[in-house]
Amino acid sequence: MKRIRRWWEWYIETRAYVVHHAAIPKHEVTEHQKCGKKVFADGCGFYKLFWVFLLGSFYGDLVETVFCRVTVGEWMSRSSLVFGQLSVVWGLGCFLLTLFLHRLIGMEDRYIFCAGTVLGGAFEYLCSVFTEKIFGCVFWDYSHMRFNLNGRINVLYCFFWGIMAIVWLKILYPWMSKGIERIPVRLGIVLTWVLVVFLTVDISISAACLFRMKTREMGIEASNRIEQYVDEHFSSEWITKRYRNLKLVEPAKDALEINFGEPAIHGGKPGE
């Protein structure tokens, strides 16, 4: 209990310091304009949100990799893309939390928790629907857990999103924002657009790999140079190794299924 109390006191002190010393983006812009200071990624615009997405993707992948090592006992790739260690789900999560909730930095924790729980749950559900409908595969399945919705989300992880929203807005984001703004303006702009091109290519190839893996399973031959390139460089075995939790599924049922007790059974959707 003493350790928990010390952690809680540390959190309260850190939160208070961040709220008072790390200005809210709108106020930052006003102060910079008054003193004529030109800052890279000022406020909460495109450049700031892009770097939040990029860094959130990298650190999210790192956290999941370490978590799997501790809980499962082995190192496994948690990246969403074929190149680089980037988890798009984490990056988009940080992006959305920042975009929609950064104005709540000064509000009490309970309001941020509720907003983060709802936003995070909706985001995770839509990501699951998107990957299943577009690529015919899922990266996670909570059918074996209680209080799940169609196996796509569950109450426990929605609460984790709420906790993450508090920690993100009160501690992590303000410090990350300050760090991003320390990048020289010209270097930041050039580097941003180089990374935009890289991520566009990376996401496109990753999507093509997932789509082609599904069509290969259906016995469809490559019909163009892109599909031939994917077949030559990204076999189904390579993709399966890269995405350890990837499961190919049949089209999911449209009916809403809420499970409060025993594991739910979805049409053709395998458990983890």
Side-chain angles (χ1 to χ4, degrees), residues 212 216 222 225-235:
R212 183 60 191 142
R216 277 199 300 258
R225 291 184 178 179
I226 295 178
E227 293 182 349
Q228 292 173 359
Y229 175 84
V230 171
D231 286 351
E232 292 174 3
H233 296 85
F234 305 99
S235 64

Side-chain angles (χ1 to χ4, degrees), residues 240-251:
T240 301
K241 185 177 180 180
R242 180 67 170 174
Y243 304 116
R244 295 290 294 275
N245 288 338
L246 178 68
K247 303 291 183 181
L248 295 177
V249 298
E250 298 297 329

Side-chain angles (χ1 to χ4, degrees), residues 77-126:
S77 172
R78 305 300 298 166
S79 176
S80 305
L81 305 175
V82 295
F83 302 119
Q85 295 304 123
L86 300 171
S87 175
V88 173
V89 174
W90 277 83
L92 285 175
C94 294
F95 171 88
L96 292 174
L97 288 176
T98 304
L99 178 64
F100 292 108
L101 304 184
H102 75 272
R103 295 179 180 85
L104 305 182
I105 287 179
M107 297 186 68
E108 296 183 13
D109 291 356
R110 62 176 181 268
Y111 298 114
I112 298 176
F113 174 81
C114 293
T117 298
V118 174
L119 180 63
F123 165 68
E124 192 171 10
Y125 191 94
L126 291 175

